[in-house]
Structure formats: C-alpha cells, structure tokens
Amino acid sequence: MKPATDTIRVLIRRGDAHSGRICVYRAPRRENQTVLDVVTWIQRELAPDLAYRFSCRVGMCGTCAMMVGGAPRWTCRTHVKTVLRRGQLELAPLRSLPIIKDLACDMSEFFAKWRRAEGRFHSSPERSGRAQPPVKILPSTPARREADAAIECINCAVCYSACDVVAWNRDYLGPAALNRAWSLQNDARDSAHARRLRAVSAGGGCQHCHSQHSCESFCPVGLSPARSIAGLKRALARGALGIRPHSPPHA
Amino acid sequence: MMLSPKWFLAQRLSALLLAPMVIAHLLGIIYAAQGGLDAAEILARTRGNFFLAVFYECFVVATALHASIGLRVVGVEWLRLRGRALDWLGALSAFALFALGSYAVFAVTAG
C-alpha cells in the first residue's frame, strides 16, 4: 500500500441513543481505501473505544452498513473517493434503528419484523423427508424467476434505513422483510403462502408502502424490494377481492 | 388498523374511478373555456342535466373516500395519530368532502 500523503477529515456521530456528539478525526488518505478501512484505522490508531460492526469485509455478510454522508451504504464496498465531499467524510449509525453505541445499531427490531412477515421457509409436510424425491424446480418458470430476483438479500438493513415510511411509521415491516416474504410466496416448495399473505397484510403490512423506491435506489446488491412489495400488494388486492391466489408452478 | 386490506382496496378502486373522471372534468373545462362561455352560459347548460349530476356526485363520493383514507395515512405518519383520533380524522374529512362536494353539485346541476 502506498504511504499516505494526505489526510481525510472524518466526522463520526458518537454516543448512545440518548446522547450523541460529533467527533472529528484525521485519517490518512490513500489511493484505494473503503469507508470501512477508514473506520478501522480510526478505531485502531485514534479511538479504541469506537464501536462499529463488521464481519466479512467483502460485501456478503451485510453487517457493516452505516450512514455515509447522510445516505445508508455498505461501508466495506464503498470507496472513500466516491463519497468524499470537500475532503470530508460524515459517518453516523443507520437511520431508523436504535443505537447501541457509536456506529453500532440494535438489529433486533429489523429481524423481528422479518419474522413477523413470515420470512421463514415452511417446508411442505407431504414433500419433506428423506424418503421423498427432490422437488423439480425449473428456473425458467415465472414464479421461480420472481423468487430468484428477490433472493440475494444480505439483510444489511440499508433499504430499511433508506425507507421514509419506516421512519414515519414504526409499525411498518419495511422493505427487507417484505422482499423476503415475496421471495417465499413464489417458492413452490413453501407451504405457508396463505399464512404469509395474512402476515404481510396485517398492521404495518405491504399496503403502507408509498412506492418511493428508496429501497431500490440504495440496495447495495441491486435488488428491487419495491417491485417485490408491488407483487405483494397485487396478491393482497386479489385476496381482498376474493380472487383465488395463483399457486406457483414448480415444474 | 391504519390501513386495513379493505381500506387499501377501497383507495385503489376509488383511484381507478377518479383517474378517468379527472381527465373528463379537465376536458370539460377546456371545452367550455375554449368555447368562450361565461358562468351564466355554463350554468344554463349544467342546470337540470341529470347525467352531469350523477357524474359529479360519483366524483364527489370517490374523492371523499380516496382523500379521507389518504388523510388517515398522513395522520399516522406525520401527526403520529392512533386509534380514535385517527378514526375521527378519517370520518370528519370524508364527511366534509362529501358535504361540500354534494352542495357544489347541487348548486350547479339543480334547477
């Protein structure tokens, strides 16, 4: 790595949920560095008590998301040069999630909503068991394509933090949970479609989405939770009109 | 519940009705304005017109339904209203829109 010849001014919101302050640090500027590199350097060299969260560092685990210059981003894949404004970097914990300390948020609420939206896969009793042959799933079927389009979510909560409806209405399930629900609604192997549709139509359900598409704009892996939510709204409308929901063909 | 599936559907269906009605309403305004009609001449054509009365009363009902459901959402998201306060906001706004709109329809088409 080239030695640093310049520095970056880094402003970090530190403190807990009740009291916070902006701390200013100077970190070396390098040709190739991510925001997470900068946070790690500050924690190792200047502020050993700085709390933040990371794991894989390669954009797979979804743990290092935080607000960078007012926008939610995955910091391990965000290059400093793309977000630096007048030599300055502003960092804060993710919006709409309770702060534990400094840049670390409490993700309990996020995952509780994921469960509330029936984000768990429910295997079909008649198809489960080692004695049963594997179900044939053709990747080309429309339902499977819908499921695949939504399945790569890494649960980084960037979409949750970007969503204004989440910020306004604490009951709202949020884009990640609803995106997961849509993926499972299109999975022919899952057996809880009716139950899940009730879960995502209850209080704080998919009908509260304003289709602002912030989730889609900020999703680091290029998913469109807004599109998934639109699918759930269609399913909800069909259900409310008494139209039988289509069961996805699996072969 | 702030927006039950039935309210959600009612808002979507009323929007479906309102979209062509707004276009028809705007086309009517443009047609009347382009023709150079003044208020008295317009009233002479609208009074006693049963079709216009039904059209605009449907417009009023759809607007009262659509807007009051939307205002419930605004009440939750911006004013943090819940429970009975929310129901009052929805009911009062729906009644006000329906009453004012129906009064206007009556004034323009009756006679």
PDB file of all heavy atoms in Angstrom, chain A residues 76-101:
ATOM      1  N   CYS A  76     -17.962  -1.607   3.536  1.00  0.00           N
ATOM      2  CA  CYS A  76     -16.824  -2.399   3.071  1.00  0.00           C
ATOM      3  C   CYS A  76     -16.652  -2.347   1.560  1.00  0.00           C
ATOM      4  O   CYS A  76     -15.590  -2.667   1.042  1.00  0.00           O
ATOM      5  CB  CYS A  76     -16.954  -3.849   3.540  1.00  0.00           C
ATOM      6  SG  CYS A  76     -18.271  -4.752   2.720  1.00  0.00           S
ATOM      7  N   ARG A  77     -17.722  -1.961   0.846  1.00  0.00           N
ATOM      8  CA  ARG A  77     -17.627  -1.887  -0.616  1.00  0.00           C
ATOM      9  C   ARG A  77     -17.817  -0.453  -1.112  1.00  0.00           C
ATOM     10  O   ARG A  77     -18.047  -0.256  -2.296  1.00  0.00           O
ATOM     11  CB  ARG A  77     -18.669  -2.810  -1.260  1.00  0.00           C
ATOM     12  CG  ARG A  77     -18.524  -4.291  -0.912  1.00  0.00           C
ATOM     13  CD  ARG A  77     -17.319  -4.939  -1.573  1.00  0.00           C
ATOM     14  NE  ARG A  77     -17.386  -4.915  -3.010  1.00  0.00           N
ATOM     15  CZ  ARG A  77     -17.945  -5.866  -3.768  1.00  0.00           C
ATOM     16  NH1 ARG A  77     -18.474  -6.911  -3.200  1.00  0.00           N
ATOM     17  NH2 ARG A  77     -17.955  -5.773  -5.078  1.00  0.00           N
ATOM     18  N   THR A  78     -17.747   0.499  -0.208  1.00  0.00           N
ATOM     19  CA  THR A  78     -17.892   1.893  -0.619  1.00  0.00           C
ATOM     20  C   THR A  78     -16.516   2.558  -0.601  1.00  0.00           C
ATOM     21  O   THR A  78     -15.909   2.706   0.469  1.00  0.00           O
ATOM     22  CB  THR A  78     -18.853   2.650   0.332  1.00  0.00           C
ATOM     23  OG1 THR A  78     -20.105   1.985   0.329  1.00  0.00           O
ATOM     24  CG2 THR A  78     -19.043   4.088  -0.106  1.00  0.00           C
ATOM     25  N   HIS A  79     -16.037   2.929  -1.767  1.00  0.00           N
ATOM     26  CA  HIS A  79     -14.723   3.585  -1.843  1.00  0.00           C
ATOM     27  C   HIS A  79     -14.834   5.017  -1.342  1.00  0.00           C
ATOM     28  O   HIS A  79     -15.769   5.736  -1.693  1.00  0.00           O
ATOM     29  CB  HIS A  79     -14.204   3.556  -3.281  1.00  0.00           C
ATOM     30  CG  HIS A  79     -13.611   2.228  -3.643  1.00  0.00           C
ATOM     31  ND1 HIS A  79     -12.260   1.970  -3.536  1.00  0.00           N
ATOM     32  CD2 HIS A  79     -14.184   1.083  -4.068  1.00  0.00           C
ATOM     33  CE1 HIS A  79     -12.034   0.713  -3.886  1.00  0.00           C
ATOM     34  NE2 HIS A  79     -13.199   0.156  -4.223  1.00  0.00           N
ATOM     35  N   VAL A  80     -13.854   5.400  -0.561  1.00  0.00           N
ATOM     36  CA  VAL A  80     -13.858   6.744   0.020  1.00  0.00           C
ATOM     37  C   VAL A  80     -13.931   7.803  -1.074  1.00  0.00           C
ATOM     38  O   VAL A  80     -14.665   8.793  -0.955  1.00  0.00           O
ATOM     39  CB  VAL A  80     -12.591   6.932   0.905  1.00  0.00           C
ATOM     40  CG1 VAL A  80     -12.403   8.390   1.283  1.00  0.00           C
ATOM     41  CG2 VAL A  80     -12.706   6.074   2.155  1.00  0.00           C
ATOM     42  N   LYS A  81     -13.210   7.593  -2.170  1.00  0.00           N
ATOM     43  CA  LYS A  81     -13.154   8.639  -3.218  1.00  0.00           C
ATOM     44  C   LYS A  81     -14.533   8.903  -3.847  1.00  0.00           C
ATOM     45  O   LYS A  81     -14.750   9.972  -4.409  1.00  0.00           O
ATOM     46  CB  LYS A  81     -12.131   8.287  -4.286  1.00  0.00           C
ATOM     47  CG  LYS A  81     -12.347   7.003  -5.017  1.00  0.00           C
ATOM     48  CD  LYS A  81     -11.139   6.691  -5.886  1.00  0.00           C
ATOM     49  CE  LYS A  81     -11.200   5.254  -6.363  1.00  0.00           C
ATOM     50  NZ  LYS A  81      -9.919   4.753  -6.831  1.00  0.00           N
ATOM     51  N   THR A  82     -15.466   7.933  -3.729  1.00  0.00           N
ATOM     52  CA  THR A  82     -16.793   8.147  -4.325  1.00  0.00           C
ATOM     53  C   THR A  82     -17.737   8.916  -3.393  1.00  0.00           C
ATOM     54  O   THR A  82     -18.782   9.387  -3.829  1.00  0.00           O
ATOM     55  CB  THR A  82     -17.463   6.798  -4.688  1.00  0.00           C
ATOM     56  OG1 THR A  82     -17.640   6.050  -3.487  1.00  0.00           O
ATOM     57  CG2 THR A  82     -16.631   6.009  -5.677  1.00  0.00           C
ATOM     58  N   VAL A  83     -17.370   9.026  -2.117  1.00  0.00           N
ATOM     59  CA  VAL A  83     -18.289   9.672  -1.155  1.00  0.00           C
ATOM     60  C   VAL A  83     -17.670  10.874  -0.432  1.00  0.00           C
ATOM     61  O   VAL A  83     -18.343  11.535   0.355  1.00  0.00           O
ATOM     62  CB  VAL A  83     -18.803   8.662  -0.092  1.00  0.00           C
ATOM     63  CG1 VAL A  83     -19.780   7.688  -0.699  1.00  0.00           C
ATOM     64  CG2 VAL A  83     -17.660   7.921   0.576  1.00  0.00           C
ATOM     65  N   LEU A  84     -16.395  11.132  -0.732  1.00  0.00           N
ATOM     66  CA  LEU A  84     -15.703  12.234  -0.062  1.00  0.00           C
ATOM     67  C   LEU A  84     -16.234  13.574  -0.578  1.00  0.00           C
ATOM     68  O   LEU A  84     -16.346  13.774  -1.786  1.00  0.00           O
ATOM     69  CB  LEU A  84     -14.206  12.119  -0.352  1.00  0.00           C
ATOM     70  CG  LEU A  84     -13.243  12.689   0.671  1.00  0.00           C
ATOM     71  CD1 LEU A  84     -13.430  12.051   2.034  1.00  0.00           C
ATOM     72  CD2 LEU A  84     -11.808  12.493   0.192  1.00  0.00           C
ATOM     73  N   ARG A  85     -16.597  14.466   0.348  1.00  0.00           N
ATOM     74  CA  ARG A  85     -17.072  15.796  -0.057  1.00  0.00           C
ATOM     75  C   ARG A  85     -16.170  16.852   0.581  1.00  0.00           C
ATOM     76  O   ARG A  85     -16.137  16.959   1.793  1.00  0.00           O
ATOM     77  CB  ARG A  85     -18.528  15.991   0.378  1.00  0.00           C
ATOM     78  CG  ARG A  85     -19.504  15.424  -0.651  1.00  0.00           C
ATOM     79  CD  ARG A  85     -20.924  15.725  -0.277  1.00  0.00           C
ATOM     80  NE  ARG A  85     -21.435  14.718   0.634  1.00  0.00           N
ATOM     81  CZ  ARG A  85     -22.692  14.700   1.094  1.00  0.00           C
ATOM     82  NH1 ARG A  85     -23.538  15.636   0.749  1.00  0.00           N
ATOM     83  NH2 ARG A  85     -23.091  13.760   1.923  1.00  0.00           N
ATOM     84  N   ARG A  86     -15.464  17.578  -0.251  1.00  0.00           N
ATOM     85  CA  ARG A  86     -14.511  18.601   0.197  1.00  0.00           C
ATOM     86  C   ARG A  86     -13.550  18.028   1.248  1.00  0.00           C
ATOM     87  O   ARG A  86     -13.307  18.629   2.300  1.00  0.00           O
ATOM     88  CB  ARG A  86     -15.243  19.829   0.742  1.00  0.00           C
ATOM     89  CG  ARG A  86     -16.027  20.579  -0.339  1.00  0.00           C
ATOM     90  CD  ARG A  86     -16.548  21.907   0.181  1.00  0.00           C
ATOM     91  NE  ARG A  86     -17.514  21.745   1.244  1.00  0.00           N
ATOM     92  CZ  ARG A  86     -18.820  21.511   1.055  1.00  0.00           C
ATOM     93  NH1 ARG A  86     -19.299  21.430  -0.179  1.00  0.00           N
ATOM     94  NH2 ARG A  86     -19.638  21.384   2.075  1.00  0.00           N
ATOM     95  N   GLY A  87     -13.034  16.829   0.942  1.00  0.00           N
ATOM     96  CA  GLY A  87     -12.057  16.202   1.829  1.00  0.00           C
ATOM     97  C   GLY A  87     -12.633  15.721   3.150  1.00  0.00           C
ATOM     98  O   GLY A  87     -11.888  15.435   4.090  1.00  0.00           O
ATOM     99  N   GLN A  88     -13.929  15.629   3.228  1.00  0.00           N
ATOM    100  CA  GLN A  88     -14.586  15.301   4.497  1.00  0.00           C
ATOM    101  C   GLN A  88     -15.528  14.103   4.357  1.00  0.00           C
ATOM    102  O   GLN A  88     -16.202  13.945   3.335  1.00  0.00           O
ATOM    103  CB  GLN A  88     -15.371  16.531   4.950  1.00  0.00           C
ATOM    104  CG  GLN A  88     -15.997  16.391   6.316  1.00  0.00           C
ATOM    105  CD  GLN A  88     -16.456  17.732   6.848  1.00  0.00           C
ATOM    106  OE1 GLN A  88     -15.650  18.620   7.116  1.00  0.00           O
ATOM    107  NE2 GLN A  88     -17.752  17.895   6.996  1.00  0.00           N
ATOM    108  N   LEU A  89     -15.572  13.286   5.407  1.00  0.00           N
ATOM    109  CA  LEU A  89     -16.420  12.093   5.433  1.00  0.00           C
ATOM    110  C   LEU A  89     -17.301  12.171   6.681  1.00  0.00           C
ATOM    111  O   LEU A  89     -16.784  12.341   7.782  1.00  0.00           O
ATOM    112  CB  LEU A  89     -15.499  10.870   5.519  1.00  0.00           C
ATOM    113  CG  LEU A  89     -16.005   9.503   5.110  1.00  0.00           C
ATOM    114  CD1 LEU A  89     -16.493   9.495   3.684  1.00  0.00           C
ATOM    115  CD2 LEU A  89     -14.886   8.479   5.288  1.00  0.00           C
ATOM    116  N   GLU A  90     -18.616  12.060   6.485  1.00  0.00           N
ATOM    117  CA  GLU A  90     -19.525  12.123   7.640  1.00  0.00           C
ATOM    118  C   GLU A  90     -20.134  10.743   7.877  1.00  0.00           C
ATOM    119  O   GLU A  90     -20.769  10.191   6.979  1.00  0.00           O
ATOM    120  CB  GLU A  90     -20.645  13.140   7.378  1.00  0.00           C
ATOM    121  CG  GLU A  90     -20.162  14.572   7.390  1.00  0.00           C
ATOM    122  CD  GLU A  90     -21.232  15.542   6.901  1.00  0.00           C
ATOM    123  OE1 GLU A  90     -22.425  15.247   7.058  1.00  0.00           O
ATOM    124  OE2 GLU A  90     -20.839  16.581   6.344  1.00  0.00           O
ATOM    125  N   LEU A  91     -19.953  10.219   9.058  1.00  0.00           N
ATOM    126  CA  LEU A  91     -20.455   8.876   9.370  1.00  0.00           C
ATOM    127  C   LEU A  91     -21.398   8.912  10.561  1.00  0.00           C
ATOM    128  O   LEU A  91     -21.157   9.632  11.536  1.00  0.00           O
ATOM    129  CB  LEU A  91     -19.278   7.935   9.682  1.00  0.00           C
ATOM    130  CG  LEU A  91     -18.193   7.823   8.610  1.00  0.00           C
ATOM    131  CD1 LEU A  91     -17.054   6.963   9.099  1.00  0.00           C
ATOM    132  CD2 LEU A  91     -18.771   7.243   7.325  1.00  0.00           C
ATOM    133  N   ALA A  92     -22.455   8.108  10.469  1.00  0.00           N
ATOM    134  CA  ALA A  92     -23.439   8.023  11.561  1.00  0.00           C
ATOM    135  C   ALA A  92     -24.047   6.631  11.544  1.00  0.00           C
ATOM    136  O   ALA A  92     -23.959   5.919  10.538  1.00  0.00           O
ATOM    137  CB  ALA A  92     -24.516   9.090  11.372  1.00  0.00           C
ATOM    138  N   PRO A  93     -24.665   6.212  12.649  1.00  0.00           N
ATOM    139  CA  PRO A  93     -25.325   4.896  12.633  1.00  0.00           C
ATOM    140  C   PRO A  93     -26.530   4.899  11.703  1.00  0.00           C
ATOM    141  O   PRO A  93     -27.071   5.961  11.393  1.00  0.00           O
ATOM    142  CB  PRO A  93     -25.748   4.696  14.090  1.00  0.00           C
ATOM    143  CG  PRO A  93     -25.798   6.063  14.670  1.00  0.00           C
ATOM    144  CD  PRO A  93     -24.779   6.879  13.950  1.00  0.00           C
ATOM    145  N   LEU A  94     -26.956   3.729  11.292  1.00  0.00           N
ATOM    146  CA  LEU A  94     -28.103   3.599  10.381  1.00  0.00           C
ATOM    147  C   LEU A  94     -29.341   4.305  10.945  1.00  0.00           C
ATOM    148  O   LEU A  94     -29.620   4.208  12.139  1.00  0.00           O
ATOM    149  CB  LEU A  94     -28.430   2.130  10.139  1.00  0.00           C
ATOM    150  CG  LEU A  94     -27.559   1.386   9.130  1.00  0.00           C
ATOM    151  CD1 LEU A  94     -27.976  -0.083   9.084  1.00  0.00           C
ATOM    152  CD2 LEU A  94     -27.625   1.986   7.737  1.00  0.00           C
ATOM    153  N   ARG A  95     -30.064   4.961  10.058  1.00  0.00           N
ATOM    154  CA  ARG A  95     -31.301   5.635  10.464  1.00  0.00           C
ATOM    155  C   ARG A  95     -32.383   4.600  10.801  1.00  0.00           C
ATOM    156  O   ARG A  95     -32.369   3.494  10.260  1.00  0.00           O
ATOM    157  CB  ARG A  95     -31.770   6.512   9.288  1.00  0.00           C
ATOM    158  CG  ARG A  95     -32.970   7.378   9.587  1.00  0.00           C
ATOM    159  CD  ARG A  95     -33.274   8.302   8.424  1.00  0.00           C
ATOM    160  NE  ARG A  95     -33.906   7.599   7.313  1.00  0.00           N
ATOM    161  CZ  ARG A  95     -34.930   8.086   6.618  1.00  0.00           C
ATOM    162  NH1 ARG A  95     -35.417   9.262   6.898  1.00  0.00           N
ATOM    163  NH2 ARG A  95     -35.445   7.406   5.611  1.00  0.00           N
ATOM    164  N   SER A  96     -33.311   4.973  11.642  1.00  0.00           N
ATOM    165  CA  SER A  96     -34.499   4.168  11.976  1.00  0.00           C
ATOM    166  C   SER A  96     -34.218   2.925  12.808  1.00  0.00           C
ATOM    167  O   SER A  96     -35.097   2.086  12.965  1.00  0.00           O
ATOM    168  CB  SER A  96     -35.271   3.737  10.712  1.00  0.00           C
ATOM    169  OG  SER A  96     -35.726   4.856  10.021  1.00  0.00           O
ATOM    170  N   LEU A  97     -32.999   2.763  13.286  1.00  0.00           N
ATOM    171  CA  LEU A  97     -32.706   1.630  14.168  1.00  0.00           C
ATOM    172  C   LEU A  97     -32.143   2.174  15.480  1.00  0.00           C
ATOM    173  O   LEU A  97     -31.407   3.169  15.470  1.00  0.00           O
ATOM    174  CB  LEU A  97     -31.683   0.687  13.514  1.00  0.00           C
ATOM    175  CG  LEU A  97     -32.244  -0.205  12.413  1.00  0.00           C
ATOM    176  CD1 LEU A  97     -31.116  -0.806  11.590  1.00  0.00           C
ATOM    177  CD2 LEU A  97     -33.118  -1.311  12.981  1.00  0.00           C
ATOM    178  N   PRO A  98     -32.490   1.525  16.609  1.00  0.00           N
ATOM    179  CA  PRO A  98     -31.976   2.026  17.894  1.00  0.00           C
ATOM    180  C   PRO A  98     -30.448   1.942  17.951  1.00  0.00           C
ATOM    181  O   PRO A  98     -29.872   0.928  17.538  1.00  0.00           O
ATOM    182  CB  PRO A  98     -32.611   1.080  18.921  1.00  0.00           C
ATOM    183  CG  PRO A  98     -33.668   0.331  18.196  1.00  0.00           C
ATOM    184  CD  PRO A  98     -33.326   0.332  16.750  1.00  0.00           C
ATOM    185  N   ILE A  99     -29.822   2.978  18.449  1.00  0.00           N
ATOM    186  CA  ILE A  99     -28.358   2.993  18.549  1.00  0.00           C
ATOM    187  C   ILE A  99     -27.940   2.263  19.824  1.00  0.00           C
ATOM    188  O   ILE A  99     -28.494   2.510  20.896  1.00  0.00           O
ATOM    189  CB  ILE A  99     -27.823   4.439  18.594  1.00  0.00           C
ATOM    190  CG1 ILE A  99     -28.256   5.202  17.340  1.00  0.00           C
ATOM    191  CG2 ILE A  99     -26.308   4.461  18.743  1.00  0.00           C
ATOM    192  CD1 ILE A  99     -28.086   6.705  17.441  1.00  0.00           C
ATOM    193  N   ILE A 100     -26.973   1.369  19.693  1.00  0.00           N
ATOM    194  CA  ILE A 100     -26.390   0.743  20.879  1.00  0.00           C
ATOM    195  C   ILE A 100     -25.254   1.648  21.365  1.00  0.00           C
ATOM    196  O   ILE A 100     -25.272   2.175  22.455  1.00  0.00           O
ATOM    197  CB  ILE A 100     -25.861  -0.681  20.574  1.00  0.00           C
ATOM    198  CG1 ILE A 100     -27.003  -1.598  20.141  1.00  0.00           C
ATOM    199  CG2 ILE A 100     -25.151  -1.248  21.805  1.00  0.00           C
ATOM    200  CD1 ILE A 100     -26.558  -2.954  19.660  1.00  0.00           C
ATOM    201  N   LYS A 101     -24.287   1.839  20.480  1.00  0.00           N
ATOM    202  CA  LYS A 101     -23.184   2.753  20.798  1.00  0.00           C
ATOM    203  C   LYS A 101     -22.499   3.155  19.491  1.00  0.00           C
ATOM    204  O   LYS A 101     -22.260   2.303  18.625  1.00  0.00           O
ATOM    205  CB  LYS A 101     -22.183   2.067  21.734  1.00  0.00           C
ATOM    206  CG  LYS A 101     -21.096   3.009  22.242  1.00  0.00           C
ATOM    207  CD  LYS A 101     -20.063   2.289  23.079  1.00  0.00           C
ATOM    208  CE  LYS A 101     -18.930   3.247  23.397  1.00  0.00           C
ATOM    209  NZ  LYS A 101     -17.623   2.706  23.185  1.00  0.00           N
TER     210      LYS A 101
END
